[in-house]
Amino acid sequence: MLTAARRPPARKLPSLRSLRSLRPTRLGGPLLLIAWLLIGVWFSFAVPAFETPDEVYHYAFSRHLAQGNPLPVQSSESTGPWQQEGSQAPLYYMLTGWLTAGVDQGDFEAIAVFNPRSNMGDPLFPGNKNRMLYSAAPRPLVGANLALHMGRWFSLLLGGLTIWFTYRTAQLAFAPRSRLPLMAALLVAAIPQFVFISASFSNDNMVVVAAAAVLYWLARLLVRERQAPIRAWEWAGLGALLGIAALSKLQGLGLFALAGGAGLLLAWERRDWRLLFTAALGTALPALLIAGWWYWRNFTLYGDWTGVSHLVAINGLRAKPLDWDDFWLEFRGLRYSFWGLFGWFNILLPTWFYALADGLAIFAAAGAALGTYVSRRRLRPAWLQQDATRVRLLLLAWIGISALLLVYWMNRATGSQGRLIFPALSALAIWAVVGLDFWYRRLPPTYRGAAWAVFPALLLGMTLYSVTLVIPAAYAAPAPVAAIPPQAQPANIVYGDAERIELHAVETPVARLRPGEAAEITLYLSAPAKLERDYELFIQLLDESGAVLGNVTSHPGWGRNPTTLWEPGAVYPDRYLVPIIGRVDPSSPLLARVYTGFINPDSPPPDHFPVTARDPSGAEITPMPAVVEIAPHAAPDAQELGLSPAGILFGDAFQASALHAPAEISRGEAITLTVLWEATGRPAADYTAFVHLLDATDSYVAGYDRAPAGDRFPTSRWQPGDRILSRFALTTPPDLTPGEYSVWLGLYDADSQGQTRLPVSGAGGLDSMHDMVRVESVLVR
C-alpha cells in the first residue's frame, strides 16, 4: 500500500474567516503601499496624455466600450482607432469602460493628435520624443483627459495589488523572517518601469496582478498540510483567477499550465488521483464562465481561438526568423525596458544605471543558484518537503513558462518590451531576494543593512529621478528668452504673408565638424500674432552644389512646441542637432550653408513646398542665414595623388606644397594643373588663384581664375595645417601655335579684382616673378 512520505510540519492554510488578515500586518507594508501609490499618482500627472506605449490605442478600445458599443471586429486591413489592441482580451477595457462611461469623452480626437515626426523606438535620437503633438500643452482634468486618468488610477490600484500579492507570496517563500517578504515587495515597487506602466492606461496591469494572484493562491495550496482537505471554493477561486488572467491577456493562458502542474503535484503527494478530477472541474468551470465566451467568439469570427493572427498582422509580423544577432539586439532593448525606458520606447535613463542594475540582477541570480544548491545538499532528502522550497520551485516554474512565452512572441512579432516580463515580476523579485540573502548572510551583521539598501535605493533613486527630471524634460516646450544671446548671428527673415513667423537669429557651431557628427543649430523664432496652423520647420546643410548633407524636419521645439501653442511676441530658442550624413568631398573642408524654412501646411505630400521667405526689405529670398564648417575624414595626400613636392610660399599664409601639370599636350587640349595647398597661417581675406599660360615671349595666351577650393571653402576660413586640393582646367585656344609655353600660378585678394597679389617665395629652382611663379613648361604639339 502506498503511503505519503513524511515531511516537516507546514503552516496551516489561512481559513476563509482569516482572509481579512491577508494584508501586510507590519508597518512597513502599509507604508510601502501608500508611498508607492503617491509616486504612481505623481507619474500619472507627469506623463502627458497617451505618452506611454500604445496607451492611445488601449484608451480608444475602452472608450469604444464606454460608449455602449460591442467588442470590435478586427481585420488585418482595416482597424479602428484602437489598432491592434482591439484584438486583445477585453477584461481591462470592459472594466475601465464601465468606470468611465459617465464621462463625456468627445474631445478625444482633439487631444489624440499624432506628431507626424514622432521618434518611436529610437531612444538615442535626441528629439521628437512626444508621440502626441500637443503633449506640452497643459490640460484640465476633464473630458477624455479625466477618463484617461481614471483608467491610470485604476491601473495603479492593480499595481498596488501586485505588490501586496508579492508580499504575501514571499511570506510563504521564506522562513518567518519578516524583512525578506517586505524586501521582495520593495524591489517590485521600486523598479522605475513598473511604476511607469502601472501609472498608464494599459491592459498589462490586469494580467500582471492576475498572475501575482494566481501565484499566491497556488503557493497557499502547496504549503497546505496533506491531511487538510482542499475545499471546492478554493478550486473555484483558483479557476476564477485563471479566468481573469485568460480574459486579461493571452499571457494569462500560461498560468493554466502552471496550475495543472501544481494540481498533479498535489494529487501525487496525497496519493489521491480523484483530486485531479475535483481540481480540473472546480477550476475549469469558473474559468470557462469568465473567459471562455471570448475565445469562442474569436473562433467563430476568425477561425482562431486566440485572435493573435490579427494582432500580429496589425502590430507587425516578424518578416524573417529570429536569429542570434537579432535576438541579442532585441534582448538589450528588453533589458532596458524592464528597468526603465519611457515614452514610446524612446526616453532613456543613464546607461550606467542599466549596467549596474544588470550586474546586481546577475549577482542575485548567482546567489539564488548557489543558495539553492547549498540548501539542497544540506537538507536532502527533506529539501523538497520544505514549504519555502516548494513555493520557490513554483515561482521558478512560472519564470520558465514566462520565458518560453516571451521567446514564442519574439519569434512571431516585432517590438518585444520589458513589460512582457512583468507577469513574472513577483516571482523574479522573490528569487532575487533569495539570491541576495545568500550573499548578505555572509557579511558581518554591521554591514548587512547597508548591503540590503543598495539595490532598492538604486531603483528608487532612478524612479524619483525619472519622474522629477527625465520625463518632464522630454515633453516640456522650450521657454521663451528675454534676450537673444550676443553670439547668435542676426538673420532677420520673415516667413509667410497672412501668418508670419520671424527668424531673428541663428547660433551655429564654432568648431569644425566631421561627417558622422551633428551640428548644434539654434534658431530664435517668434510670431507677432497668434498662429492658427501648425507649421513644420526644416534645417538642411547644403554643399556648394546644393546637395543635402544633413536634414532635420520637425515641428518646432523638436516636436514639443507646435506653432499654435506659441505666445505672440515671445522669442523661442529652438535647438537641433543636425546629423551630417552626406558625403563630404575629401579635396577640402566645406563651408556648408544652413538652409532653414517652414513647410506650407496646405502643400500636398510628398512635395511639401516651403513657405515664402523674405528679407527685411520684403524681397523674396532663399533663406540661408548661417554656415557650418565640415572637414573631411582625411586630408588629401600628395604621395597618394602622385604630386611632385613644390614648397612655394604665397605671402605668409599659403603654400603650394605639391603640384602636377602635363609636360606635353595637343593643340586645343586643356591643361589641368593640380595643386595641393597647405595653410601656413590664417588668411586675412578671401583670395583667388590665377593660372596663366604665357608664350616664349612671356605674353599672355590664356588664363583661369578661381578660389583654391572653388565655392566650397573660402580662404578666410582656412586654418594652419589645412590642406586643399585644387584642379584648374586651363582651356587652350584651338588655333594655338605649337611650341613651348609656361604655366604660371599666383594668388590675389578677391576684393581687389586682381590688383593686390601675394608675393612669392621659396620657389627653389622654379622661375618666379614677384607675384607669381612658373610651375611647368608645356610643349604644345
Side-chain angles (χ1 to χ4, degrees), residues 623-634:
M624 297 185 182
V627 292
V628 172
E629 290 188 19
I630 304 174
H633 281 302

Side-chain angles (χ1 to χ4, degrees), residues 52 95 144 149 243 295 354 470 655:
T52 68
L95 292 174
H149 280 79
Y295 291 89
Y354 301 107
V470 176
Q655 176 183 231

Side-chain angles (χ1 to χ4, degrees), residues 227-238:
Q227 295 78 11
I230 300 176
R231 300 176 180 86
W233 72 263
E234 292 173 299
W235 293 121
L238 175 61

Side-chain angles (χ1 to χ4, degrees), residues 13-26 30 33 161 164-165 167-168 171 216-217 220 233:
L13 186 68
S15 65
L16 179 61
R17 182 179 299 175
S18 67
L19 284 179
R20 63 180 179 273
S21 68
L22 298 184
R23 63 182 186 275
T25 55
R26 298 180 182 275
L33 283 174
L161 285 173
W164 183 79
F165 281 122
Y167 178 82
R168 297 300 290 169
Q171 286 183 315
Y216 171 59
W217 201 271
R220 290 173 66 248
W233 72 263

Side-chain angles (χ1 to χ4, degrees), residues 124 192 336 339-342 347-357 458 461-463 465-466 469-470:
L124 299 180
Y336 280 22
W339 298 118
L341 185 54
F342 309 120
I347 301 174
L348 274 173
L349 288 169
T351 52
W352 61 261
F353 164 69
Y354 301 107
L356 188 54
L458 171 69
M462 278 297 119
T463 296
Y465 172 64
S466 302
L469 294 174
V470 176

